């Protein structure tokens, strides 16, 4: 499982997917999120701008990403 450290108060879901290398662009992040392919804490999330503050687990195509404060 990869981890990403939140530098500010939060990171947006689309930015986190891109930072982890799960997607190559913001456009690709938007598409996979809107298609319901991304889960946050086990629940499908369709908001690209979802604010992640730390403690969340992101799942996408058998990859997991933990957001740390």
């Amino acid at each position: 499982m990869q981890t990403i450290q939140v530098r500010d108060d939060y990171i947006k879901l689309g930015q986190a997917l891109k930072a982890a290398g799960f997607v190559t662009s913001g456009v690709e992040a938007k598409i996979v999120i809107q298609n319901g392919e991304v889960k946050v804490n086990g629940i499908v999330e369709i908001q690209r701008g979802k604010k992640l503050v730390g403690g969340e687990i992101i799942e996408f195509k058998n990859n997991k990403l933990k957001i740390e404060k």
Side-chain angles (χ1 to χ4, degrees), residues 5-60:
Q5 200 79 23
V6 177
R7 294 185 196 137
D8 299 315
D9 292 335
Y10 63 88
I11 186 171
K12 292 182 181 179
L13 180 56
Q15 294 170 330
L17 290 176
K18 190 174 173 188
F22 292 176
V23 295
T24 57
S25 69
V27 173
E28 185 181 356
K30 177 182 176 179
I31 292 168
V32 300
I33 292 167
Q34 288 181 340
N35 286 342
E37 299 177 43
V38 179
K39 291 183 180 180
V40 177
N41 296 329
I43 300 169
V44 172
E45 180 58 63
I46 56 170
Q47 285 185 328
R48 181 173 119 196
K50 170 84 172 166
K51 294 178 181 178
L52 309 171
V53 296
E56 295 90 351
I57 304 289
I58 312 304
E59 296 176 58
F60 174 65

